[in-house]
């Protein structure tokens, strides 16, 4: 089962630069990166609503969702920032460089989230080898940036 999840991670990782390119093209037609990101999110929202409808996912009462921590609502803002930023950054850096620096940022944040067990992650020590792994990702980003 773990290999299946790894395969899905590789697939959605491959979709990130593809999505940025698709949204970059959309930006060319609509003229604004934020509008392109908005259209992208609207299409995604419709797809998720359709999925929820056809799979008969039950919607919880609003009161139960409001009892959660305030910061759980910030995921949508982060997603919007991610998509809009990719639309702006992709044509400047290119897919490879953009993704390397994005992954470097993701890895650094992931090590911190794991180490401190933040926002619901299980605590996993930021061991020297994990830190070396992040540094290797950063080194890879520097190499791809320069060459």
């Amino acid at each position: 089962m773990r290999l299946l999840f790894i395969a899905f991670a590789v697939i959605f990782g491959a979709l990130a630069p593809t999505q940025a390119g698709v949204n970059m093209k959309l930006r060319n037609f609509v003229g604004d990166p934020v509008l392109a990101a908005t259209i992208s999110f609207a299409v995604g929202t419709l797809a998720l609503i359709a999925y929820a409808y056809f799979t008969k996912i039950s919607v919880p009462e609003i009161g139960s969702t409001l009892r959660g921590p305030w910061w759980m609502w910030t995921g949508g803002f982060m997603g919007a920032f991610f998509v809009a930023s990719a639309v702006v950054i992709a044509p400047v850096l290119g897919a490879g460089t953009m993704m390397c620096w994005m992954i470097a940022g993701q890895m650094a944040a992931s090590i911190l989230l794991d180490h401190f067990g933040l926002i619901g992650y299980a605590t996993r020590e930021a061991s020297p080898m994990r830190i070396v792994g992040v540094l290797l990702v950063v080194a890879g980003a520097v190499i791809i940036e320069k060459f």
Side-chain angles (χ1 to χ4, degrees):
M1 190 61 148
R2 186 169 178 82
L3 286 178
L4 180 64
F5 284 115
I6 290 171
F8 274 112
V10 169
I11 291 166
F12 79 71
L15 290 176
T18 306
Q19 179 195 33
V22 167
N23 288 338
M24 185 174 63
K25 187 60 112 176
L26 180 60
R27 172 193 180 178
N28 293 340
F29 282 92
V30 300
D32 182 76
V34 174
L35 181 56
T38 302
I39 293 168
S40 179
F41 263 82
V43 171
T45 299
L46 290 174
L48 291 171
I49 290 169
Y51 174 84
Y53 175 78
F54 288 113
T55 58
K56 299 180 179 16
I57 293 175
S58 62
V59 178
E61 291 182 24
I62 191 71
S64 65
T65 58
L66 293 176
R67 286 191 287 273
W70 67 268
W71 50 262
M72 73 179 192
W73 296 97
T74 63
F77 290 110
M78 291 178 210
F81 180 75
F82 174 87
V83 171
S85 295
V87 171
V88 172
I89 293 168
V92 176
L93 297 182
T97 301
M98 176 191 69
M99 290 305 298
C100 279
W101 285 115
M102 186 182 78
I103 291 167
Q106 289 174 337
M107 293 307 302
S110 297
I111 294 294
L112 289 172
L113 291 169
D114 280 350
H115 183 75
F116 295 106
L118 299 174
I119 61 173
Y121 284 103
T123 303
R124 290 184 178 89
E125 180 188 2
S127 68
M129 291 309 290
R130 292 183 98 204
I131 293 169
V132 167
V134 171
L135 293 174
L136 287 171
V137 171
V138 171
V142 169
I143 291 168
I144 289 181
E145 172 79 26
K146 292 200 179 277
F147 303 101

